[in-house]
Amino acid sequence: MRLGGSARYLVEVHSKAQLEKAIIWAKSKGIKALVIGLGSNTIFQDDGFDGLVCLNKILGINIISEDSKSVILEVGAGEVWDDFVEYSTKLNLSGIEALSLIPGTVGAAPVQNIGAYGQEVSRTVLSVSAYDSKAEKFVKLSAKDLAFGYRTSKLKTPLEKRHLYIYTVTFKLSKSFALERPFYDSLEDFFTKSNQHSPNPANIRKAVISIR
C-alpha cells in the first residue's frame, strides 16, 4: 500500500532455518516480530513498526506424490500466490484456478482462507508447516487443526497473540475438473458470450483474470 512509517528492523528470510533464527532474535530482544509476504493486506501506522518485520521469501514448488486422481504439492510460503495458480493450471490441475489474480503469497492464503467464484483454498490445503515461537519448535498443522471458516482460520490472530509462522503449505489438487456448474453469474456470462462449452482450469483462469 506504500503507507505508514518505517520498520525498526527488517530482514528477508529464505529458509525455515532463517525464519527460526529471526523469530528467536526478536524474542531475545523483547520486540515484536511480524512476518509478511507481499504486504497486500497490511497497512502500517505513520509512526512505523517498532519491531522486526520479516519478509518471507521462502520459495519452491515440489510435487510430493500423485495418483490417478490427484497431486500433492508442497509450496514455499513466499511464493507469489498467482504464480502458483498459473503453475497448477499449466499442469491441468483443478482446485484453485478460480482464485487467480488474488494478491499475496502462498503463506497468506490459508490465514485468510481466500476464496472466489465458488472455490476456497481450505478445500485444497492438507497441512501447513510453521515455526511455533511458543513451543520453540517446528510444527505441522492439519487442515482440521487450522479450523477454517469463511475468510478466516486459526492462523488469523492479533499480532500480540501470534506465534505460528508459516514456511510451507501442502496442497492436494485434482486431476479432474473440480468447479461445479452453474458457475457464478459473471463466470457463466463470460463462457456464454465467448461461446465456450468445455471449461477447464486454464480457461477458468483466463476468464477470472478477464473479469477481474
Side-chain angles (χ1 to χ4, degrees):
M1 303 297 280
R2 299 188 181 277
L3 296 173
S6 299
R8 182 178 177 188
Y9 301 104
L10 184 140
V11 65
E12 289 188 0
V13 294
H14 297 268
S15 68
K16 72 177 193 177
Q18 289 181 356
L19 175 63
E20 178 187 28
K21 186 177 179 180
I23 301 302
I24 290 173
W25 181 86
K27 196 172 181 180
S28 72
K29 299 293 182 182
I31 59 175
K32 294 177 182 177
L34 175 65
V35 178
I36 64 174
L38 298 177
S40 52
N41 265 2
T42 306
I43 298 177
F44 288 98
Q45 296 180 348
D46 290 340
D47 55 1
F49 184 75
D50 191 25
L52 173 68
V53 173
C54 300
L55 299 180
N56 193 324
K57 301 291 185 180
I58 299 172
L59 304 179
I61 302 176
N62 300 302
I63 294 176
I64 303 301
S65 64
E66 66 177 297
D67 57 27
S68 60
K69 295 182 178 180
S70 61
V71 177
I72 295 175
L73 306 98
E74 185 179 59
V75 187
E79 289 283 353
V80 173
W81 172 256
D82 194 56
D83 290 350
F84 174 49
V85 178
E86 181 181 31
Y87 173 90
S88 73
T89 59
K90 284 181 177 178
L91 294 181
N92 200 34
L93 298 176
S94 184
I96 58 173
E97 62 271 25
L99 309 184
S100 293
L101 225 59
I102 292 178
T105 54
V106 166
V111 176
Q112 180 78 5
N113 186 17
I114 59 174
Y117 301 104
Q119 288 183 338
E120 284 189 335
V121 76
S122 59
R123 297 175 192 167
T124 65
V125 171
L126 287 183
S127 64
V128 163
S129 295
Y131 178 72
D132 186 335
S133 62
K134 271 188 181 177
E136 297 185 340
K137 65 179 183 179
F138 295 107
V139 296
K140 179 173 276 192
L141 303 171
S142 69
K144 186 177 180 180
D145 295 330
L146 296 173
F148 285 117
Y150 181 75
R151 303 297 174 267
T152 191
S153 73
K154 180 182 177 180
L155 300 163
K156 191 176 180 181
T157 57
L159 179 60
E160 59 271 12
K161 294 183 179 180
R162 204 166 298 170
H163 63 96
L164 295 170
Y165 302 94
I166 301 169
Y167 60 90
T168 61
V169 183
T170 302
F171 298 88
K172 184 177 182 179
L173 301 180
S174 176
K175 288 185 175 181
S176 58
F177 188 57
L179 195 61
E180 295 182 3
R181 297 190 86 157
F183 302 142
Y184 272 56
D185 289 348
S186 53
L187 267 183
E188 281 288 356
D189 188 53
F190 180 92
F191 277 92
T192 299
K193 287 181 177 178
S194 60
N195 200 31
Q196 295 185 53
H197 304 289
S198 301
N200 58 48
N203 59 30
I204 288 289
R205 172 172 167 77
K206 289 178 182 178
V208 169
I209 290 172
S210 177
I211 293 166
R212 285 192 180 278

Tab-separated table of all heavy atoms in Angstrom, residues 75-102:
chain	number	residue	atom	x	y	z
A	75	VAL	N	4.502	-26.219	-1.125
A	75	VAL	CA	4.835	-24.929	-1.735
A	75	VAL	C	5.387	-23.973	-0.682
A	75	VAL	O	4.833	-23.857	0.417
A	75	VAL	CB	3.581	-24.303	-2.397
A	75	VAL	CG1	3.960	-23.045	-3.173
A	75	VAL	CG2	2.907	-25.320	-3.326
A	76	GLY	N	6.488	-23.292	-1.026
A	76	GLY	CA	7.079	-22.317	-0.130
A	76	GLY	C	6.143	-21.160	0.142
A	76	GLY	O	5.462	-20.672	-0.771
A	77	ALA	N	6.109	-20.717	1.389
A	77	ALA	CA	5.175	-19.660	1.794
A	77	ALA	C	5.445	-18.336	1.099
A	77	ALA	O	4.557	-17.489	1.004
A	77	ALA	CB	5.223	-19.478	3.307
A	78	GLY	N	6.657	-18.139	0.605
A	78	GLY	CA	6.999	-16.881	-0.049
A	78	GLY	C	6.686	-16.840	-1.535
A	78	GLY	O	6.869	-15.804	-2.187
A	79	GLU	N	6.201	-17.952	-2.080
A	79	GLU	CA	5.824	-17.964	-3.496
A	79	GLU	C	4.635	-17.021	-3.725
A	79	GLU	O	3.710	-16.981	-2.912
A	79	GLU	CB	5.426	-19.372	-3.943
A	79	GLU	CG	6.569	-20.361	-4.052
A	79	GLU	CD	7.405	-20.177	-5.312
A	79	GLU	OE1	7.013	-19.362	-6.185
A	79	GLU	OE2	8.433	-20.861	-5.425
A	80	VAL	N	4.677	-16.290	-4.825
A	80	VAL	CA	3.545	-15.429	-5.173
A	80	VAL	C	2.340	-16.316	-5.485
A	80	VAL	O	2.435	-17.262	-6.283
A	80	VAL	CB	3.883	-14.534	-6.391
A	80	VAL	CG1	2.643	-13.758	-6.848
A	80	VAL	CG2	5.015	-13.583	-6.039
A	81	TRP	N	1.212	-16.029	-4.846
A	81	TRP	CA	0.039	-16.887	-4.978
A	81	TRP	C	-0.366	-17.095	-6.435
A	81	TRP	O	-0.586	-18.228	-6.872
A	81	TRP	CB	-1.148	-16.322	-4.190
A	81	TRP	CG	-2.403	-17.077	-4.465
A	81	TRP	CD1	-3.450	-16.696	-5.252
A	81	TRP	CD2	-2.717	-18.404	-4.014
A	81	TRP	NE1	-4.401	-17.687	-5.302
A	81	TRP	CE2	-3.974	-18.748	-4.556
A	81	TRP	CE3	-2.057	-19.326	-3.198
A	81	TRP	CZ2	-4.579	-19.981	-4.311
A	81	TRP	CZ3	-2.661	-20.561	-2.950
A	81	TRP	CH2	-3.902	-20.876	-3.502
A	82	ASP	N	-0.461	-16.022	-7.197
A	82	ASP	CA	-0.940	-16.156	-8.571
A	82	ASP	C	0.034	-16.936	-9.446
A	82	ASP	O	-0.382	-17.589	-10.398
A	82	ASP	CB	-1.227	-14.783	-9.179
A	82	ASP	CG	-2.041	-14.885	-10.464
A	82	ASP	OD1	-3.131	-15.489	-10.420
A	82	ASP	OD2	-1.576	-14.390	-11.505
A	83	ASP	N	1.321	-16.888	-9.126
A	83	ASP	CA	2.299	-17.704	-9.855
A	83	ASP	C	2.029	-19.192	-9.616
A	83	ASP	O	2.150	-20.014	-10.537
A	83	ASP	CB	3.723	-17.369	-9.417
A	83	ASP	CG	4.180	-15.996	-9.877
A	83	ASP	OD1	3.474	-15.368	-10.699
A	83	ASP	OD2	5.244	-15.536	-9.406
A	84	PHE	N	1.667	-19.520	-8.390
A	84	PHE	CA	1.340	-20.915	-8.078
A	84	PHE	C	0.066	-21.355	-8.791
A	84	PHE	O	-0.018	-22.471	-9.307
A	84	PHE	CB	1.213	-21.101	-6.566
A	84	PHE	CG	0.733	-22.470	-6.156
A	84	PHE	CD1	1.321	-23.620	-6.680
A	84	PHE	CD2	-0.320	-22.617	-5.254
A	84	PHE	CE1	0.872	-24.896	-6.304
A	84	PHE	CE2	-0.771	-23.878	-4.875
A	84	PHE	CZ	-0.177	-25.018	-5.410
A	85	VAL	N	-0.936	-20.472	-8.835
A	85	VAL	CA	-2.174	-20.802	-9.558
A	85	VAL	C	-1.863	-21.052	-11.032
A	85	VAL	O	-2.331	-22.032	-11.624
A	85	VAL	CB	-3.225	-19.684	-9.419
A	85	VAL	CG1	-4.476	-20.031	-10.230
A	85	VAL	CG2	-3.602	-19.466	-7.960
A	86	GLU	N	-1.059	-20.191	-11.621
A	86	GLU	CA	-0.680	-20.362	-13.028
A	86	GLU	C	0.043	-21.694	-13.234
A	86	GLU	O	-0.227	-22.425	-14.197
A	86	GLU	CB	0.208	-19.206	-13.478
A	86	GLU	CG	0.623	-19.290	-14.936
A	86	GLU	CD	1.533	-18.149	-15.362
A	86	GLU	OE1	2.302	-17.650	-14.514
A	86	GLU	OE2	1.464	-17.774	-16.541
A	87	TYR	N	0.962	-22.010	-12.335
A	87	TYR	CA	1.705	-23.270	-12.394
A	87	TYR	C	0.736	-24.457	-12.368
A	87	TYR	O	0.866	-25.401	-13.153
A	87	TYR	CB	2.670	-23.339	-11.208
A	87	TYR	CG	3.387	-24.656	-11.028
A	87	TYR	CD1	4.621	-24.890	-11.638
A	87	TYR	CD2	2.854	-25.664	-10.230
A	87	TYR	CE1	5.293	-26.096	-11.458
A	87	TYR	CE2	3.508	-26.870	-10.053
A	87	TYR	CZ	4.720	-27.082	-10.666
A	87	TYR	OH	5.381	-28.274	-10.492
A	88	SER	N	-0.246	-24.401	-11.466
A	88	SER	CA	-1.184	-25.521	-11.333
A	88	SER	C	-2.054	-25.701	-12.577
A	88	SER	O	-2.344	-26.828	-12.985
A	88	SER	CB	-2.062	-25.333	-10.091
A	88	SER	OG	-3.018	-24.309	-10.279
A	89	THR	N	-2.459	-24.588	-13.184
A	89	THR	CA	-3.307	-24.707	-14.379
A	89	THR	C	-2.515	-25.214	-15.582
A	89	THR	O	-3.069	-25.878	-16.451
A	89	THR	CB	-3.992	-23.371	-14.725
A	89	THR	OG1	-3.009	-22.362	-14.951
A	89	THR	CG2	-4.921	-22.938	-13.614
A	90	LYS	N	-1.238	-24.912	-15.620
A	90	LYS	CA	-0.397	-25.437	-16.712
A	90	LYS	C	-0.264	-26.954	-16.613
A	90	LYS	O	-0.044	-27.634	-17.622
A	90	LYS	CB	0.978	-24.773	-16.687
A	90	LYS	CG	0.964	-23.352	-17.224
A	90	LYS	CD	2.350	-22.728	-17.219
A	90	LYS	CE	2.314	-21.334	-17.831
A	90	LYS	NZ	3.656	-20.677	-17.791
A	91	LEU	N	-0.414	-27.481	-15.381
A	91	LEU	CA	-0.408	-28.928	-15.184
A	91	LEU	C	-1.819	-29.510	-15.304
A	91	LEU	O	-2.017	-30.704	-15.073
A	91	LEU	CB	0.172	-29.274	-13.808
A	91	LEU	CG	1.650	-28.954	-13.561
A	91	LEU	CD1	2.058	-29.380	-12.161
A	91	LEU	CD2	2.536	-29.637	-14.600
A	92	ASN	N	-2.783	-28.645	-15.649
A	92	ASN	CA	-4.191	-29.019	-15.783
A	92	ASN	C	-4.772	-29.546	-14.468
A	92	ASN	O	-5.629	-30.434	-14.461
A	92	ASN	CB	-4.388	-30.063	-16.893
A	92	ASN	CG	-5.837	-30.106	-17.376
A	92	ASN	OD1	-6.522	-29.089	-17.408
A	92	ASN	ND2	-6.304	-31.291	-17.736
A	93	LEU	N	-4.300	-28.962	-13.350
A	93	LEU	CA	-4.809	-29.345	-12.035
A	93	LEU	C	-5.897	-28.374	-11.605
A	93	LEU	O	-5.821	-27.178	-11.878
A	93	LEU	CB	-3.668	-29.346	-11.003
A	93	LEU	CG	-2.534	-30.331	-11.274
A	93	LEU	CD1	-1.427	-30.156	-10.239
A	93	LEU	CD2	-3.057	-31.771	-11.266
A	94	SER	N	-6.891	-28.907	-10.930
A	94	SER	CA	-8.046	-28.098	-10.541
A	94	SER	C	-8.167	-27.983	-9.021
A	94	SER	O	-7.724	-28.863	-8.279
A	94	SER	CB	-9.321	-28.719	-11.119
A	94	SER	OG	-10.447	-27.914	-10.845
A	95	GLY	N	-8.771	-26.875	-8.591
A	95	GLY	CA	-8.997	-26.661	-7.168
A	95	GLY	C	-8.765	-25.224	-6.741
A	95	GLY	O	-9.360	-24.733	-5.787
A	96	ILE	N	-7.870	-24.532	-7.496
A	96	ILE	CA	-7.560	-23.138	-7.139
A	96	ILE	C	-7.606	-22.195	-8.343
A	96	ILE	O	-7.302	-21.014	-8.204
A	96	ILE	CB	-6.180	-23.028	-6.447
A	96	ILE	CG1	-5.069	-23.578	-7.347
A	96	ILE	CG2	-6.189	-23.726	-5.097
A	96	ILE	CD1	-3.650	-23.343	-6.798
A	97	GLU	N	-8.018	-22.694	-9.506
A	97	GLU	CA	-7.973	-21.871	-10.722
A	97	GLU	C	-8.854	-20.630	-10.630
A	97	GLU	O	-8.526	-19.581	-11.189
A	97	GLU	CB	-8.342	-22.703	-11.954
A	97	GLU	CG	-9.743	-23.276	-11.958
A	97	GLU	CD	-9.844	-24.650	-11.307
A	97	GLU	OE1	-8.989	-24.978	-10.450
A	97	GLU	OE2	-10.780	-25.386	-11.644
A	98	ALA	N	-9.965	-20.725	-9.888
A	98	ALA	CA	-10.861	-19.568	-9.739
A	98	ALA	C	-10.303	-18.526	-8.773
A	98	ALA	O	-10.849	-17.440	-8.638
A	98	ALA	CB	-12.239	-20.019	-9.269
A	99	LEU	N	-9.200	-18.869	-8.115
A	99	LEU	CA	-8.545	-17.940	-7.182
A	99	LEU	C	-7.422	-17.171	-7.869
A	99	LEU	O	-6.545	-16.601	-7.208
A	99	LEU	CB	-7.994	-18.697	-5.969
A	99	LEU	CG	-8.988	-19.633	-5.259
A	99	LEU	CD1	-8.348	-20.249	-4.023
A	99	LEU	CD2	-10.270	-18.908	-4.903
A	100	SER	N	-7.460	-17.140	-9.194
A	100	SER	CA	-6.467	-16.401	-9.973
A	100	SER	C	-6.512	-14.913	-9.662
A	100	SER	O	-7.582	-14.350	-9.385
A	100	SER	CB	-6.711	-16.601	-11.472
A	100	SER	OG	-6.462	-17.929	-11.859
A	101	LEU	N	-5.345	-14.310	-9.706
A	101	LEU	CA	-5.157	-12.861	-9.578
A	101	LEU	C	-5.439	-12.315	-8.173
A	101	LEU	O	-5.467	-11.109	-7.980
A	101	LEU	CB	-5.979	-12.109	-10.623
A	101	LEU	CG	-5.236	-10.977	-11.353
A	101	LEU	CD1	-4.018	-11.496	-12.076
A	101	LEU	CD2	-6.169	-10.269	-12.321
A	102	ILE	N	-5.658	-13.179	-7.203
A	102	ILE	CA	-5.756	-12.703	-5.814
A	102	ILE	C	-4.346	-12.335	-5.367
A	102	ILE	O	-3.418	-13.131	-5.505
A	102	ILE	CB	-6.358	-13.778	-4.889
A	102	ILE	CG1	-7.829	-14.009	-5.252
A	102	ILE	CG2	-6.225	-13.368	-3.421
A	102	ILE	CD1	-8.521	-15.080	-4.432
